[in-house]
Amino acid sequence: MREIELLAPAKNLECGVAAIDHGADAVYIGAPLFGARAAAGNTVADVAALCRYAHTFGAKVYVTVNTLVFDNELDSARQLLTELQEAGADAVLVQDMGLLALTSQLAHPPYHASTQTDNRTAAKVRWLRDRGFRRVVLARELSLEEIAAIHRDVPDMELEVFVHGALCVSYSGVCYASQYCFGRSANRGACAQFCRLKFDLVDADGRTIEHGRHLLSLKDLCQIDRLEELMEAGATSFKIEGRLKDVAYVKNVTAAYSQRLNEIIARRPDRYRRASRGRCTYLFEPSLKKTFNRGFTHYFLDGRRPDIFSPDTPKAIGECVGRVKEVRPRWFTVAGTAAFANGDGLCFVNGERELEGFRVNRAEGNRLFPLKMPPTLKPGMVLYRNSDVAFDRLMGGRTAERKLSVGMTLEATASGFALRVAADGVGETLVDVAMEKELAQKDPRENIVRQLTKLGGTPFECREVTLAPEDFAFFIPSSTLADMRRKAVEQLLRAANGPSMANDHRSGAEMTDGRNDNAPSPDAVQAGSEYRQHPYLYNIANAKARAFYEQQGLTDIAPAFEVGGRVREPLLMQCRHCLKFSLGFCSKRQRQGGDRKREMPWREPLSLVLPDGRRFRLEFRCNECQMNVYGT
């Protein structure tokens, strides 16, 4: 029996509560400092409030402290980890290895290795396990076979995989383009989204291959139809990306994935169970196409596949609603089955391969009247809806509730009455009241059940009330019944919330910041040769991290890119996305498929060029199936 966890994002406390209500088994949220989404920080008080709410349902709260920490911030980081322990956080996601040494004697929540630690191989996962990490967030680029191989090699390590949301084109943690171009470090939570910009692709002779296209912008990940395969591969936590997304996104995506997991587990109850408790009731039908998306991809789950990127636009496309049928000066018609509403946001890719959008001023069936008619709209064009007014209005209201089922038994005792309440997954509580027994003048059952089951405003719902003995005929004042119910609920809430899951932490002694003579050196567990050529990839930003790597046997130690680890032509990105493959000139694929090798008509090296003229050289490491992006 394996526990399966749906992990949802929380921009703030409201989003975190909504995620729990809509079926999340865990949420991840940013702290006031050191989160990889600097714009999504929260107070420790809000983190504590979210922990109390989540723990009622056996759900967990993970806090992101996954940026690089500078020397002058180490004391603040230590204080924050102590406060998060006291707040009840169940784990902390970290990137900076300096935190292991910093907190070696500190009580702190368990550490999860953020995807920012570049987790591509079984060797790296095993190394992190041996350093004391409880869980690893795997690189988004891994295939199903690669995930399964890691699980086979390191079966005692929890594996967290991304299943939905935005994709970074570079392996996480080793992207320095934003820092290099704009002074905004992705490793410090301030990514400027370099990969969503327009580029020209030019060859060594200056010939333009592609002009003004979003060549590094990927579609969004969607694995909702592949969850069972991921479970079989050994993944236990399924992560939805989106700590900058609004509450409607969190509600819709969490509900969709939670329902799909429940369907799978209903077929495999002997094999899997959900990691939290409670039953969710939904007041809407989830639809992933109706919230922000750039089009969907399985990315590399099945190995390298075409059509994983979105070169026409980095913006949300939404759902396809048909094709333009007829265009008139003030209106047009749509061929399709979609229903439209006044205010809907529609878009299309025009003849210049640019995404163009507009609002519907008035909808009369499939005849639409824009406020201003797009001059480039032509019959036959595919139309998308990226803002659905009716759905947005629905998502702005009450859309779900989550309840714990309880059974109640009211029993006559020698001294009065006892109310026994048992909650699924929580336990049982008993409330006694001493009073004289008085026979009721009429059957008391209806009033007793009505008073005991008034659980509105609590996380509980009553499935049954049993009276003992069977011929129970005693009068009990409604106020007494209400008081017994209230005390029972208070006791159950205390039982559900404590002791805090955060007390089950790895102590400082269990975190291994010292050298193990039998352990491999850090350079032996990294994928590829770039770490040896560009040692700033280890992201050593403070003295504690430097001491950690020295103790681990790393000899070529250099400071992080953000604190001076520069070279003349820096490696800015390592990408599994390959433009040579996308253009149809992958020699490796031609060889494997038996195709006759096509000679590329352009002379390498190829370069990406921004509109302001800044140039970035591309290197194609075909033996590693990787594209590197260099600053020049």
Side-chain angles (χ1 to χ4, degrees):
M1 180 70 71
R2 287 172 49 209
E3 285 192 345
I4 300 300
E5 176 186 275
L6 177 60
L7 176 57
K11 177 171 70 173
N12 51 34
L13 175 59
E14 178 193 14
C15 287
V17 170
I20 299 299
D21 287 344
H22 288 73
D25 301 295
V27 294
Y28 62 104
I29 188 170
L33 300 168
F34 312 123
R37 297 290 184 274
N42 295 274
T43 66
V44 173
D46 277 355
V47 172
L50 181 57
C51 289
R52 289 191 294 272
Y53 189 77
H55 290 171
T56 299
F57 299 98
K60 297 182 180 180
V61 176
Y62 308 139
V63 185
T64 56
V65 187
N66 57 340
T67 65
L68 300 184
V69 180
F70 293 162
D71 279 313
N72 64 342
E73 298 169 331
L74 288 172
D75 287 341
S76 296
R78 181 190 291 109
Q79 178 64 28
L80 176 61
L81 291 167
T82 300
E83 292 175 359
L84 292 176
Q85 167 74 11
E86 295 169 352
D90 298 288
V92 171
L93 284 86
V94 301
Q95 173 188 14
D96 196 319
M97 295 298 158
L99 295 183
L100 273 65
L102 176 71
T103 58
S104 59
Q105 302 303 318
L106 178 70
H108 58 79
Y111 282 158
H112 291 177
S114 168
T115 192
Q116 295 293 117
T117 56
D118 188 15
N119 309 315
R120 314 181 207 178
T121 66
K124 181 64 176 290
V125 172
R126 187 182 306 107
W127 186 82
L128 288 165
R129 180 203 63 188
D130 293 343
R131 308 280 82 69
F133 285 92
R134 181 168 295 181
R135 175 184 293 185
V136 166
V137 186
L138 294 177
R140 296 169 175 86
E141 292 81 359
L142 297 185
S143 69
L144 198 65
E145 291 181 1
E146 288 169 322
I147 294 169
I150 290 172
H151 177 63
R152 285 194 299 270
D153 286 354
V154 199
D156 57 341
M157 190 62 150
E158 295 178 13
L159 301 181
E160 182 178 307
V161 297
F162 286 90
V163 293
H164 196 89
L167 288 166
C168 299
V169 73
S170 175
Y171 284 98
S172 294
V174 290
C175 178
Y176 308 96
S178 179
Q179 174 70 29
Y180 179 77
C181 291
F182 310 111
R184 292 173 53 179
S185 169
N187 283 321
R188 295 273 293 167
C191 177
Q193 295 198 313
F194 171 89
C195 59
R196 304 297 180 186
L197 299 178
K198 278 185 179 181
F199 298 95
D200 288 348
L201 180 64
V202 300
D203 76 351
D205 298 316
R207 289 181 295 179
T208 299
I209 302 167
E210 294 281 350
H211 173 66
R213 306 202 76 196
H214 304 274
L215 297 171
L216 297 180
S217 183
L218 301 178
K219 292 181 178 180
D220 285 359
L221 185 66
C222 181
Q223 309 286 31
I224 195 165
D225 58 339
R226 310 298 296 276
L227 296 179
E228 189 165 5
E229 293 167 87
L230 286 164
M231 291 157 72
E232 289 297 306
T236 57
S237 180
F238 300 102
K239 187 171 195 169
I240 299 167
E241 174 66 56
R243 274 199 302 120
L244 296 179
K245 294 295 192 293
D246 61 21
V247 69
Y249 179 95
V250 172
K251 289 179 176 182
N252 185 34
V253 178
T254 302
Y257 275 84
S258 184
Q259 288 181 342
R260 183 58 60 90
L261 284 176
N262 286 342
E263 292 169 7
I264 296 170
I265 291 173
R267 290 189 279 104
R268 308 287 300 278
D270 58 329
R271 174 79 169 154
Y272 303 110
R273 64 167 177 258
R274 293 294 293 269
S276 62
R277 55 184 176 251
R279 182 178 67 89
C280 295
T281 302
Y282 301 102
L283 307 178
F284 76 108
E285 186 66 34
S287 175
L288 296 177
K289 295 178 181 179
K290 290 185 179 293
T291 43
F292 186 101
N293 71 85
R294 301 177 177 90
F296 290 128
T297 175
H298 290 305
Y299 206 25
F300 290 99
L301 196 68
D302 299 307
R304 189 173 292 282
R305 294 290 186 273
D307 197 30
I308 66 170
F309 73 140
S310 178
D312 293 330
T313 178
K315 298 179 181 178
I317 293 178
E319 60 176 332
C320 178
V321 290
R323 286 184 178 271
V324 177
K325 184 178 180 182
E326 182 182 8
V327 178
R328 295 296 180 91
R330 295 179 51 248
W331 54 266
F332 67 94
T333 58
V334 181
T337 60
F340 299 94
N342 299 346
D344 277 355
L346 303 180
C347 59
F348 62 96
V349 178
N350 63 26
E352 301 298 318
R353 296 192 300 190
E354 294 277 356
L355 189 71
E356 194 171 335
F358 60 93
R359 286 280 179 182
V360 175
N361 189 45
R362 187 170 84 254
E364 296 178 358
N366 70 337
R367 180 176 293 184
L368 306 180
F369 295 78
L371 185 62
K372 183 179 179 182
M373 193 71 185
T376 58
L377 190 67
K378 306 294 181 187
M381 285 182 167
V382 178
L383 199 64
Y384 301 90
R385 175 164 48 197
N386 54 12
S387 178
D388 187 323
V389 167
F391 191 74
D392 291 345
R393 186 181 300 117
L394 175 65
M395 298 306 294
R398 180 169 169 268
T399 48
E401 67 175 10
R402 186 168 181 168
K403 295 289 185 180
L404 296 169
S405 178
V406 300
M408 296 183 174
T409 301
L410 182 65
E411 183 180 8
T413 65
S415 59
F417 301 96
L419 176 63
R420 193 181 306 274
V421 182
D424 293 346
V426 177
E428 188 175 271
T429 187
L430 183 68
V431 175
D432 287 303
V433 60
M435 61 182 297
E436 294 290 334
K437 295 185 181 65
E438 178 182 348
L439 290 175
Q441 295 181 359
K442 61 179 183 178
D443 190 344
R445 293 172 182 268
E446 182 180 344
N447 183 60
I448 289 172
V449 171
R450 182 170 60 251
Q451 296 300 328
L452 291 181
T453 57
K454 288 181 178 180
L455 294 169
T458 78
F460 304 107
E461 61 180 3
C462 185
R463 62 177 179 270
E464 63 177 348
V465 176
T466 302
L467 302 183
E470 290 186 9
D471 58 351
F472 191 101
F474 300 108
F475 168 75
I476 305 177
S478 295
S479 59
T480 301
L481 291 168
D483 188 56
M484 295 176 75
R485 181 197 68 232
R486 179 182 56 79
K487 289 179 179 177
V489 166
E490 289 174 352
Q491 291 178 17
L492 283 176
L493 285 174
R494 284 195 295 271
N497 279 283
S500 170
M501 298 177 192
N503 291 332
D504 179 26
H505 68 276
R506 295 227 172 165
S507 68
E510 291 173 300
M511 300 302 295
T512 310
D513 60 334
R515 174 78 184 273
N516 180 346
D517 291 334
N518 297 319
S521 176
D523 60 358
V525 301
Q526 297 295 351
S529 58
E530 287 88 350
Y531 277 77
R532 290 185 291 277
Q533 298 172 9
H534 304 278
Y536 60 78
L537 295 177
Y538 286 100
N539 293 325
I540 299 171
N542 58 68
K544 291 289 186 181
R546 182 183 182 89
F548 168 85
Y549 278 110
E550 287 175 344
Q551 291 169 340
Q552 299 301 315
L554 186 66
T555 56
D556 190 7
I557 293 180
F561 194 85
E562 290 79 358
V563 289
R566 305 296 184 91
V567 294
R568 190 175 63 83
E569 190 185 36
L571 172 62
L572 300 181
M573 285 182 167
Q574 300 176 58
C575 310
R576 207 165 197 175
H577 168 51
C578 175
L579 288 174
K580 187 183 285 189
F581 173 88
S582 298
L583 293 169
F585 295 97
C586 175
S587 59
K588 189 173 183 180
R589 186 185 186 196
Q590 290 167 10
R591 232 176 13 253
Q592 292 171 344
D595 299 336
R596 187 166 58 87
K597 184 176 179 181
R598 296 172 61 198
E599 293 296 332
M600 193 168 69
W602 307 288
R603 193 165 67 88
E604 293 189 58
L606 306 184
S607 297
L608 293 171
V609 183
L610 284 171
D612 63 8
R614 282 181 287 181
R615 182 179 295 261
F616 306 88
R617 180 175 68 85
L618 300 180
E619 176 191 35
F620 299 96
R621 294 203 171 188
C622 298
N623 61 321
E624 299 173 14
C625 221
Q626 181 171 297
M627 181 180 76
N628 291 340
V629 181
Y630 291 88
T632 57

